[in-house]
Amino acid sequence: TQGVVLMKNISCIVALAIFLLSSFDVFAIGLNEPVPAFEATDDEGKVWKSTDHIGKKMIVLYFYPADMTGGCTAQACGYRDRMESFTRLNAEVIGVSGDTVKNHQVFKKAHQLNFTLLADTDGKIAELFGVPVSQGEKTVTKSIDGIDVDLTRSATAKRWTFIIDRNGKVVHRDDRVNAKADPDSVEMFIKAVE
């Protein structure tokens, strides 16, 4: 029986260690670390390769939970409204969520978004950056032009923002993003480092 008790204690310690490690940003890409190459499908259904963009401009890569939800819409519209400034700063804005290409197309059309959205339907890009992501199908139903549209996703990432410099390194990481304030604070950061 002592062996059984010992095994139970070891199992509890291992489970606790796994929980604690998953609760912290242990595996998140840190400041001045290079960004690994990745690919995703963009909102036009085309393959978007990080190697075609990173190193040419400052990249604002922001992860958000879901298309057509309150905070995510406020954040996206904030980036949309500042796009002229980001263009002058030679910065490219890329939004990433677990939504499908179809969902992104609906989101872009509904809010006239003027930047690329990447479909991270399996959460692998979020995981690559250390962004917490949960798996499981979730659906948002929104009325668009008087028609109810179901937007289903299978991965939901936390809201994190990264700024990647022309050397391909992370120069800013925000893992406590305020959705509405994010575009403004990102714009100010880029202006300060340019």
Side-chain angles (χ1 to χ4, degrees), residues 60-83 86 93-97 107 111 113-115 117 157-162 172 174-187:
V60 176
L61 188 70
Y62 81 95
F63 292 86
Y64 64 98
D67 290 341
M68 301 296 290
T69 56
C72 299
T73 299
Q75 186 178 23
C77 290
Y79 279 114
R80 176 201 65 201
D81 295 346
R82 288 171 180 74
M83 195 51 60
F86 284 117
V93 175
I94 308 294
V96 184
S97 79
F107 190 37
H111 297 287
L113 301 180
N114 51 5
F115 55 90
L117 299 177
K158 294 289 185 185
R159 190 181 313 279
W160 284 29
T161 299
F162 295 84
H172 175 77
D174 185 353
D175 57 8
R176 301 196 190 305
V177 175
N178 174 310
K180 192 167 183 152
D182 188 50
D184 188 50
S185 61
V186 166
E187 180 185 17

Side-chain angles (χ1 to χ4, degrees), residues 4-55:
V4 172
V5 171
L6 180 62
M7 289 304 292
K8 284 183 180 179
N9 287 342
I10 290 172
S11 295
C12 288
I13 291 170
V14 169
L16 180 61
I18 290 170
F19 171 77
L20 290 174
L21 285 175
S22 68
S23 299
F24 296 104
D25 306 334
V26 175
F27 304 110
I29 294 176
L31 292 179
N32 298 314
E33 288 187 24
V35 173
F38 65 93
E39 293 182 5
T41 305
D42 69 15
D43 52 77
E44 295 179 352
K46 298 177 183 171
V47 175
W48 188 95
K49 297 179 181 181
S50 64
T51 54
D52 293 340
H53 300 266
I54 294 174

Side-chain angles (χ1 to χ4, degrees), residues 138-165:
K138 294 184 180 177
T139 301
V140 174
T141 303
K142 291 292 179 176
S143 180
I144 300 168
D145 296 330
I147 300 169
D148 282 349
V149 177
D150 288 336
L151 304 173
T152 301
R153 65 187 183 283
S154 54
T156 304
K158 294 289 185 185
R159 190 181 313 279
W160 284 29
T161 299
F162 295 84
I163 301 175
I164 304 161
D165 70 8

Side-chain angles (χ1 to χ4, degrees), residues 57-58 81-93 166 187 190-191 194:
K57 298 179 175 187
M58 296 282 282
D81 295 346
R82 288 171 180 74
M83 195 51 60
E84 189 175 306
S85 177
F86 284 117
T87 300
R88 277 195 310 272
L89 292 167
N90 200 26
E92 181 177 0
V93 175
R166 288 182 190 86
E187 180 185 17
I190 293 173
K191 283 180 178 177
E194 278 298 291

